[in-house]
């Protein structure tokens, strides 16, 4: 059509996307009826559930049908509508069998066919973060629009670029987080070009009159009738002015703000303790969780992962919440950042009847708006007051979820039916606030009754009301004693609750606050002194922040979108329970029924006098010897392993190691390893693999026929434990040991000392080396350089040399202990040495961002893989994922993105520090994820493209054999490897007080480190020999013949009968989906296209998108310049936007030869055109890249030195200072270098910058986020949230509109005018250099009127910089840094107060 002369159109939308679905199906295609969607809808399950609830609501009278239709659309199909929202002939409007794009398109289309214009429909469905948005302060009508529609419709939330047209207008909009790029150009003939990347369409810059980008939540629109272009404010203001939304909200909405808490006690202490016991509270819940939440408004931080049994296998009673695992975003969609980007998030909820989303009227505003979903008794009273006719007339009803104890376990089913029937009756009678309550009036009622667990109750009522077409007519409030952890609240809201009144948690806070122990701790200064109201406020704040964190892991910004979304996987729940309360939730291994749950609930009841007097310590988190929950990794287990491998924890540098024979390493003991192994085999059930046994298809063979242990150990890896989480001693010992056996050590997040690059050659006869004086048991030829170097979201320690000295590079998408969150290193563990490696400040806590800045989608993960393959072509790239439902699709996408290795981590992984709820409740066992990933890759013909690695609680040869049969080829050891070098499972990693120096940075504790490489090697040998014995028993001589052979595994009837709680667990469905690969073994070798060799020796090679990089590296002048290492060399190239990572290969070549800073010459590379993503990645000192044209996202990613300059063409028809020239997340993770852009940058400029000196002419939101060093100068306006998480470095911001103060995140940073001579010197020199490098008109205008213009700058600084010369005048005689590097590659300083001499006319760079 487009090539037919007779075919004309005013617009075209063209959309192409990365397909993770290798077996495409028509239902998954984008219909493209009214919207083109690039991204993910993270809230899809909830959105679909609520649209289905609307489909069931038959409420519109026939007389109103005509009012649904615009006059121009009289024959519209909406005429047939006889439901609240959707015409019957169109049902089902939505379906989870279709793609998220198709479902969004369906709802969007129907809205445009009724009373909504296309921009209006999109504003309703995908709202911006309008609260406290400085850009909307002059447009209250837009804010009112969003307030009104937020009550009607839950947001379709997720990282999305949406292009839409209803035939009347065409437009585009970004989601509220703005991770995706969207660039547009307007030419002098009025044509508007909008592209996800700039440079897609070849335009002459002389013809362009405006270049822009969409920021978070922004929209542009072109009227197809008039041709008028409308920017974000213009189109939104036009739409928002069509109705008096503000008036409607003011008249109809009732607000419940956060009120003070009551001091009165509900029960006395004895009754409170009894009630706590009946609801499953344990001593730990008060001593750890309540104390941290009420005492410091924070969730408990803990360490070492989750080694307790899963709830269904546990012999102890568990609340229903513990059967659910939170799902999280990875690869195909990103988590978001509740800590630093909380401005886009909200926990606000509503109660009441929701009107039709297709018929806008003032009735839609009649709702109760809750500022918080966590309600106290005063707020419950306020809600009750709205029942009065003169105060809103919101009818209310309370339904008790308690039933008589005498009814026994079978009574629960009848009780559920009864509350559902009552709920239906009440809502039919007009109840708009339905309260489900398990509160007892007194001890007598507690004694005689039990309760339906609130999750079961709310889920049952929620689904019953949906089935009856009544769910939109009421709000559900859960009043319960069984909610105290953040996970509990997430579960209740996720399965339908609008709000929760945690009466017993608040009662417990009062009990805790009034106790003698708490009061004495406050007096002693061990706890912050708080009033009773403050303690309860703290508790609520901790719950709300915890909820935001749980939402963010799934990439969801609004709690209202999370409500009813059921974003969990159940583990251990049977079909009856799922069908009653949790319809649509996956539960892959079956489990308990309603009667079992009733019995488990009854088990919690205190029966004896001592139980009634004091809560039980269940030991779910910290092991309690004898009486508590079983923990696999115990101090007893550590002793058994130490005895086997010959480790004595008392022998260390602090004691007598130097005098002891063989450094105190005793001979390894096979008998003791058998005892260690048997202790695990006979232990209580804990993991899914404990329910499995082997059933070989062959006769046993002699162990002499089995491949040697040395070959098996090549498949062993260590977990990604960082230097920082571990001490130097522990980290280096592990690396040396794994390298010794031919396995793969892993650096973890945080970099490594360059001293570790070279093999040891200075070891004496006592096994000591002056290079590593703190280690023992060394040998010449040992290597402490980790085989795998990890690249995580914080980019700590990631330099070109770190990348080029790795044999494999690992991208950390998620970690088992806290998938969807960034790593954290407590301040006390950030020693001078650790801070030096990470380019951060000593003593300042380091929190990595969630993995989203440059890996928020499969396309961007593919880009980072491309970057890493470019800088180090000989290193494979691995991607670390965490087990979760849907990981099969994710794994296929990662394989297609050119990863060489996919690692599947279990959700129980160990960690140095993590929120407790993340450790316990996020991520699935690796058995689930590994088998799903292997199956999906095999089914889709991708299995030969990747090696599968698994880790998470692997301890024995039996574990490895099972993992191999499920598809793994390599195996990671984490916690158990730490135990093998001396860890005693003290579980204080997060406190920096490890008694044996494994996880402490304190010098005196590190000296107590008892381990040597030999200890770890002994452990690996034992595991390898155990595998060999098992292989001989099964009749297999080669380990590779076990891989993918799930047919050899069977469910163990003997183990299944040991499950105490239920007879409902079955693994048959779990195994049913794993393809039989008994006779098809080709997947074990690399693809035929890559030679079909051993996968470990084959690395995927970047395709044509690296051609320019190769051309640069192969240029004779460039090769000569690198070889000669002197003088100046200049070369020129043209570039297009499919040329990606340009400069990375060149940086790799230089780094391999000279390290990070060894190039003495200057390579001047002049480039012309539109650069693809990651232009100038990993640039080194001596590299000077000058781009005339424009660039996309990630310019200067990982820049370590040198210079990048980006400027428009000389004849450009637009104003450079007002136009976008580079994309999002530029200088992400930069550690040095000078950057100049003559134009505006996108979102997240200089995120995690720790050393670059950068100048641009304005930025989007989140500038200087997570910055730890360097200097940023912005010569134009910036977006909101400047300096969030900034702990080092300086920012200078030119405040033209006088509103900069609204845009700063003041949680950490402060800002002031430029008040010191040093600050002025630094700023002026950087602007002068910017003018010389780019010819910037903006810079010239500022410099020409310096004395006046300098007063418009603000200086932003964190506490760590408060005493620096540029911030404070208190330091005399210091020099000030004005450039990251000078041509000599020495740091460039000028004396404070000194002017520039005449021969410094090139302003500092020379």
């Amino acid at each position: 059509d487009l090539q037919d002369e007779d075919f004309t159109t005013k617009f075209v939308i063209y959309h192409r996307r990365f397909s993770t679905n290798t077996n495409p199906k028509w239902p998954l295609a984008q219909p493209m009826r009214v919207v083109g969607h690039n991204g993910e809808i993270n809230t899809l399950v909830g959105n679909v559930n609520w649209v289905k609830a609307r489909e069931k609501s038959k409420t519109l009278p026939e007389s109103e049908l005509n009012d649904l239709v615009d006059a121009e659309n009289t024959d519209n199909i909406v005429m047939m509508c006889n439901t609240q929202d959707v015409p019957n002939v169109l049902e089902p409007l939505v379906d989870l069998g279709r793609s998220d794009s198709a479902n969004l398109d369906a709802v969007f289309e129907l809205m445009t066919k009724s009373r909504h214009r296309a921009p209006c429909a999109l504003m309703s469905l995908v709202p911006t973060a309008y609260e406290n948005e400085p850009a909307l302060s002059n447009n209250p009508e837009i804010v009112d629009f969003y307030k009104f529609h937020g009550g009607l419709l839950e947001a379709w939330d997720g990282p999305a670029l949406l292009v839409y047209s209803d035939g009347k207008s065409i437009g585009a909009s970004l989601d509220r987080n703005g991770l995706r790029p969207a660039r547009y150009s307007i030419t002098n003939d009025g044509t508007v070009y909008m592209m996800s990347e700039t440079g897609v369409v070849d335009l002459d810059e002389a013809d362009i009159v405006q270049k822009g980008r969409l920021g978070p939540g922004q929209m542009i629109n072109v009227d197809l009738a008039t041709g008028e272009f409308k920017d974000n404010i213009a189109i939104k203001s036009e739409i928002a002015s069509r109705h008096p939304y503000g008036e409607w909200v003011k008249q109809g909405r009732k607000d419940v703000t956060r009120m003070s808490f009551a001091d009165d006690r509900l029960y006395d202490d004895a009754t409170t303790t009894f009630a706590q016991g009946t609801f499953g509270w344990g001593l730990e819940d008060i001593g750890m969780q309540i104390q941290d939440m009420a005492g410091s408004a924070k969730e408990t931080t803990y360490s070492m992962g989750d080694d307790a049994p899963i709830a269904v296998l546990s012999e102890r009673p568990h609340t229903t919440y513990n059967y659910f695992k939170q799902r999280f975003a990875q690869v195909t969609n990103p988590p978001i950042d509740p800590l630093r980007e909380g401005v886009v998030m909200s926990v606000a909820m509503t109660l009441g009847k929701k009107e039709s989303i297709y018929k806008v009227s003032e009735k839609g505003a009649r709702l109760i708006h809750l500022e918080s979903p966590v309600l106290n008794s005063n707020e419950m009273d306020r809600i009750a007051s709205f029942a009065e006719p003169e105060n809103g007339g919101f009818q209310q009803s309370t339904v008790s979820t308690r039933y008589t104890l005498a009814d026994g376990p079978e009574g629960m089913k009848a009780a559920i039916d009864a509350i559902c029937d009552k709920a239906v009756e009440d809502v039919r009678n007009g109840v708009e606030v339905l309260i489900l309550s398990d509160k007892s009036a007194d001890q007598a009622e507690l004694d005689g009754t039990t309760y339906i667990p609130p999750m079961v109750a709310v889920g049952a009522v929620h689904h019953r009301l949906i089935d009856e077409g009544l769910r939109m007519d009421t709000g559900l409030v859960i009043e319960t004693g069984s909610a105290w952890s953040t996970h509990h609240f997430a579960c209740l809201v996720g399965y339908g609750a609008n709000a929760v009144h945690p009466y017993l948690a608040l009662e417990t806070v009062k009990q805790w606050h009034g106790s003698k122990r708490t009061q004495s701790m406050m007096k002693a200064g061990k706890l912050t002194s708080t009033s009773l109201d403050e303690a309860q406020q703290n508790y609520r704040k901790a719950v709300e922040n915890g909820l935001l964190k749980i939402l963010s892991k799934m990439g969801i910004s609004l709690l209202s979108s999370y409500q009813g979304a059921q974003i969990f996987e159940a583990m251990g729940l049977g079909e009856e329970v799922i069908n009653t309360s949790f319809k649509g939730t996956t539960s892959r291994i079956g489990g308990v029924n309603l009667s079992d749950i009733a019995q488990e609930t009854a088990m919690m009841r205190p029966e004896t006098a001592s139980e009634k007097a004091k809560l039980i310590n269940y030991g779910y988190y910290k092991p309690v010897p004898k009486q508590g929950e079983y923990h696999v990794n115990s101090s007893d287990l550590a002793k058994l392993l130490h005895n086997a491998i010959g480790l004595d924890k008392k022998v260390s540098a602090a004691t007598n190691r130097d005098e002891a024979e063989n450094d105190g390493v005793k001979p390894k003991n096979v008998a003791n390893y058998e005892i260690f192994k048997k202790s695990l085999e006979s232990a209580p059930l804990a993991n899914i693999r404990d329910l499995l046994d082997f059933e070989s298809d062959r006769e046993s063979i002699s162990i002499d026929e089995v491949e040697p242990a040395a070959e098996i150990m090549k498949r062993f890896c260590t977990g990604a434990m960082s230097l920082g989480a571990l001490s130097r001693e522990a980290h280096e010992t592990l690396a040396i040991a794994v390298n010794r056996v031919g396995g793969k050590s892993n650096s973890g997040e945080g970099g490594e000392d360059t001293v570790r690059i070279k093999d040891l050659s200075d070891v004496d006869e006592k096994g000591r080396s002056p290079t590593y004086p703190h280690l023992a048991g060394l040998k010449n030829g040992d290597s402490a350089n980790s085989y795998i170097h990890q690249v995580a979201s914080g980019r700590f320690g990631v330099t070109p040399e770190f990348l080029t000295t790795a044999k494999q590079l690992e991208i950390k998408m998620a970690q088992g202990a806290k998938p969807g969150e960034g790593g954290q290193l407590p301040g006390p563990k950030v020693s001078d040495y650790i801070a030096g490696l990470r380019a951060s400040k000593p003593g300042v806590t380091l929190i990595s961002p969630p993995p989203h800045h440059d890996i928020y989608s499969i396309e961007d993960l593919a880009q980072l893989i491309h970057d890493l393959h470019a800088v180090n072509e000989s290193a494979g790239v691995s991607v670390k994922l965490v087990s979760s439902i849907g990981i099969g699709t994710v794994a296929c996408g990662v394989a297609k993105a050119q990863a060489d290795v996919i690692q599947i981590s279990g959700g129980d992984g160990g960690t140095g520090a993590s929120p407790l709820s993340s450790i316990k409740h996020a991520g699935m066992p690796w058995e689930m994820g590994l088998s799903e990933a292997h199956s999906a890759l095999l089914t889709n013909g991708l299995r030969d493209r990747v090696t599968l690695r698994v880790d998470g609680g692997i301890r024995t040869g039996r574990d490895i054999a099972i993992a191999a049969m499920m598809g793994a080829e390599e195996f990671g050891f984490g916690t158990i490897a730490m135990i093998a070098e001396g860890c005693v499972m003290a579980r204080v990693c997060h406190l920096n007080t490890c008694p044996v120096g494994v996880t402490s940075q304190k010098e005196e504790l590190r000296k107590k480190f008892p381990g040597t490489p030999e200890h770890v090697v002994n452990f690996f040998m034992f595991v390898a020999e155990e595998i060999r014995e098992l292989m001989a028993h099964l009749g297999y001589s080669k380990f590779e013949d076990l891989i993918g052979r799930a047919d050899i595994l069977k469910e163990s009837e003997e183990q299944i009968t040991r499950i105490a709680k239920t007879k409902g667990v079955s693994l048959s469905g779990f195994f049913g989906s794993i393809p039989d690969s008994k006779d098809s073994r080709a997947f074990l070798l690399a693809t035929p296209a890559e030679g079909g060799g051993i996968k470990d020796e084959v690395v995927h090679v970047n395709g044509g998108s690296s051609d320019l990089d190769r051309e640069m590296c192969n240029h004779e002048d460039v090769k000569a310049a690198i070889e000669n290492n002197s003088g100046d060399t200049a070369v020129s190239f043209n570039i297009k936007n499919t040329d990606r990572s340009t400069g990375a290969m060149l940086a790799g070549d230089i780094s391999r030869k000279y390290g990070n800073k060894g190039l003495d010459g200057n390579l001047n590379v002049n480039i012309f055109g539109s650069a693809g993503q990651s232009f100038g990645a990993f640039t080194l000192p001596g590299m000077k890249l000058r781009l005339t044209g424009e660039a996309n996202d990630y310019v200067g990613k990982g820049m370590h030195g040198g210079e990048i300059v980006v400027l428009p063409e000389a004849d450009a028809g637009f104003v450079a200072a007002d136009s976008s020239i580079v994309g999002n997340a530029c200088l992400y993770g930069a550690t040095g270098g000078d950057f100049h852009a003559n134009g505006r940058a996108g979102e997240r400029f200089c995120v995690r910058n720790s050393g670059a000196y950068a100048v641009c002419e304005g930025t989007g939101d989140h500038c200087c986020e997570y910055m730890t060093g360097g200097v940023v100068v912005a010569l134009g306006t910036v977006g909101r949230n400047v300096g969030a998480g900034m702990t080092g470095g300086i920012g200078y911001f030119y405040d033209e509109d006088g509103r900069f103060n609204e845009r700063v995140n003041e949680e950490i940073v402060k800002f002031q005018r430029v008040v010191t001579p040093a600050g002025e010197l630094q700023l002026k020199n950087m602007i002068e250099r910017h003018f010389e490098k780019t010819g910037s008109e903006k810079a010239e205008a500022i410099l020409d009127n310096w004395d006046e213009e300098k007063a418009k700058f603000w200086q932003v600084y964190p506490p760590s910089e408060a005493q620096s010369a540029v911030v404070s005048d208190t330091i005399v005689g210091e020099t000030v840094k004005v450039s990251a590097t000078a041509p000599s590659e020495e740091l460039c300083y000028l004396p404070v107060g000194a002017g520039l001499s005449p021969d410094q006319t090139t302003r500092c760079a020379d």
Side-chain angles (χ1 to χ4, degrees), residues 1214-1366:
F1214 50 85
V1215 178
D1218 299 335
S1219 297
S1220 297
I1221 194 164
V1222 294
N1224 295 335
C1226 294
L1227 298 174
Y1228 178 23
T1231 51
D1234 290 321
F1235 174 86
H1236 297 273
N1238 185 12
R1240 296 181 59 83
E1243 267 57 57
R1244 301 173 176 85
F1245 184 66
C1246 279
V1247 58
R1248 267 295 297 121
N1249 174 29
S1250 59
Y1253 279 51
V1255 187
C1256 67
E1257 312 210 345
T1259 79
D1261 292 356
H1262 317 300
C1263 184
C1264 300
E1265 190 177 45
Y1266 288 97
M1267 197 159 122
T1268 61
V1271 179
V1272 170
V1273 178
L1275 301 181
T1277 57
V1278 293
R1280 72 206 294 200
N1281 206 36
V1282 171
M1286 179 179 174
T1287 57
I1290 300 288
Y1292 296 96
F1293 296 90
Y1294 185 61
D1295 188 11
E1296 290 174 282
D1297 60 7
R1299 294 176 55 186
F1300 178 74
N1301 59 323
E1302 301 171 359
R1303 298 178 172 123
V1304 183
N1305 182 323
E1306 295 184 67
E1307 185 181 357
I1308 296 176
V1309 299
K1310 295 189 165 117
F1311 60 103
Q1312 63 181 18
R1313 293 297 184 182
V1314 183
V1315 295
T1316 67
E1320 183 180 341
L1321 180 71
Q1322 186 178 60
L1323 172 62
K1324 188 177 183 186
N1325 273 275
M1326 289 181 69
I1327 297 174
E1328 286 175 326
R1329 190 168 68 251
H1330 182 67
F1331 170 62
E1332 279 157 10
K1333 295 291 179 187
T1334 67
S1336 164
E1337 294 177 3
K1338 189 77 167 278
E1340 185 177 30
I1342 291 170
L1343 292 169
D1344 284 348
N1345 194 18
W1346 179 250
D1347 288 341
E1348 188 178 321
E1349 295 295 328
K1350 71 182 181 184
K1352 295 180 182 175
F1353 280 93
W1354 291 100
Q1355 182 188 61
V1356 173
Y1357 64 95
S1360 65
E1361 306 283 1
Q1363 297 305 311
S1364 65
V1366 294

Side-chain angles (χ1 to χ4, degrees), residues 384-576:
S385 74
F386 296 141
E388 302 299 326
E390 67 277 10
N391 202 15
F394 291 88
Q395 286 188 54
Q396 302 179 28
S397 165
T398 300
V399 176
S400 175
T401 58
R402 301 193 73 87
Y403 63 99
T404 308
L405 193 60
D407 290 348
E410 301 306 319
M412 183 182 283
K413 182 76 176 77
I416 291 170
D417 290 342
I419 66 164
C420 288
D421 291 344
K422 180 72 168 68
V424 168
E425 181 189 341
D426 286 352
V427 178
R428 281 223 169 96
N429 291 331
V431 166
E432 293 175 86
V433 179
L434 186 66
I435 301 165
L436 302 178
S437 177
D438 56 33
K439 192 195 284 186
S440 294
D442 50 29
Q443 182 69 47
E445 188 176 355
L446 282 168
D447 286 338
T449 60
T450 184
Y451 60 93
I452 305 166
M455 259 200 96
V456 177
V458 70
V461 169
H462 172 69
H463 282 290
R464 178 72 177 278
L465 289 174
I466 289 176
D467 291 344
E468 299 284 347
L470 297 169
R471 184 62 186 91
M472 305 311 300
D473 297 349
T474 193
L476 288 177
V477 177
I478 312 306
E479 185 171 64
T480 181
S482 177
W484 61 90
S485 153
T486 56
H487 176 67
H488 300 169
F489 288 86
C491 287
L492 293 171
V493 174
Y495 282 95
N498 295 66
V500 181
H501 175 211
Y503 66 87
L504 191 56
L506 297 175
E507 182 75 0
T508 304
V509 173
K510 295 173 193 173
Q511 181 191 41
W512 167 84
H513 188 271
S515 70
K516 289 180 184 173
R517 180 175 176 273
T518 302
Q519 288 300 316
S520 63
M521 286 176 75
M522 285 183 185
K523 281 175 188 163
K526 293 179 181 175
L527 274 176
T528 305
S529 189
T530 57
S531 67
L532 182 52
D533 184 69
E534 285 169 340
Q536 293 179 86
Q537 296 282 11
N538 280 348
Y539 171 75
R540 169 151 66 186
K541 184 179 177 185
V543 173
E544 289 175 356
N545 288 342
L547 279 172
L548 289 177
K549 183 201 68 193
I550 291 167
L551 300 190
S552 73
K553 284 193 278 197
M554 194 59 209
I556 293 172
S557 305
L558 304 176
L559 190 64
S560 55
S561 293
Y562 190 80
Q563 184 203 4
Q566 304 189 174
I567 305 177
F568 296 86
E569 181 170 359
M571 190 161 54
L573 293 183
E575 203 172 319
E576 181 192 27

Side-chain angles (χ1 to χ4, degrees), residues 6-165:
D6 295 334
F7 190 101
T8 62
T9 177
K10 290 186 176 180
F11 73 94
V12 61
I13 296 174
Y14 172 75
H15 182 44
R16 187 180 76 170
R17 68 190 305 193
F18 189 112
S19 167
T20 47
N21 300 302
T22 308
N23 284 338
K25 302 170 188 164
W26 277 114
L28 297 176
Q30 282 207 35
M32 298 283 284
R33 295 187 194 96
V34 284
V35 67
H37 167 228
N38 182 31
E40 296 291 325
I41 302 298
N42 296 344
T43 53
L44 181 68
V45 179
N47 298 133
V48 168
N49 287 349
W50 287 112
V51 171
K52 286 183 173 177
R54 289 182 169 93
E55 287 179 354
K56 295 271 189 178
S57 299
K58 311 288 185 186
T59 57
L60 277 189
E62 198 70 34
S63 60
E64 291 189 26
L65 279 181
N66 294 336
D67 195 38
L68 275 176
V69 186
D70 280 340
E72 359 177 324
N73 292 330
T74 47
D75 294 326
N76 199 297
I77 198 167
V78 181
M79 289 285 287
M80 303 178 199
C81 180
N82 64 351
T83 76
Q84 183 200 16
D85 287 324
V86 184
N88 278 349
V89 293
L90 295 184
E91 290 179 4
L93 186 67
V94 291
D95 180 2
L96 284 174
R98 284 183 260 166
S99 68
D100 53 353
S101 307
N103 284 306
L104 176 66
D105 190 284
V107 177
F108 187 97
E109 184 188 26
L110 195 59
M111 289 179 78
T112 62
K113 298 294 187 194
S114 56
R115 296 189 62 83
H116 294 269
R117 296 183 189 176
C120 176
L122 197 59
M123 286 168 66
S124 310
L125 287 162
V126 189
T128 190
Y130 63 89
E131 292 178 356
N132 306 312
E133 168 56 270
L136 297 178
S137 53
N138 295 329
N139 296 91
E141 75 283 359
I142 298 177
V143 173
D144 291 335
F145 173 94
Y146 284 122
K147 279 183 181 176
F148 175 85
H149 285 91
L152 280 183
L153 181 66
E154 60 293 331
W156 291 61
D157 196 7
L161 168 58
L162 298 150
V163 180
Y164 61 84
S165 180

Side-chain angles (χ1 to χ4, degrees), residues 597-636:
I597 288 177
Q599 280 184 306
E600 188 165 18
T601 305
M603 279 173 68
M604 299 170 187
R605 291 180 68 84
E607 299 296 345
T608 66
S610 65
E611 285 176 356
K612 290 178 181 178
K614 185 179 179 183
L615 282 178
I616 295 171
N617 187 349
Y618 287 112
Y620 290 140
Y621 315 130
K622 292 180 181 176
V624 180
K626 295 177 183 161
Q627 65 194 48
E629 178 67 279
Y630 167 66
H631 286 259
V632 187
N633 295 325
S634 62
S635 55
D636 290 340

Side-chain angles (χ1 to χ4, degrees), residues 224-243:
L224 291 173
T226 66
E228 183 184 359
F229 174 83
K230 295 167 187 171
D231 66 12
N232 183 51
I233 297 296
I235 183 60
K236 288 182 177 176
S237 181
E238 178 186 310
I239 293 295
S241 301
R242 294 181 76 207
H243 294 292

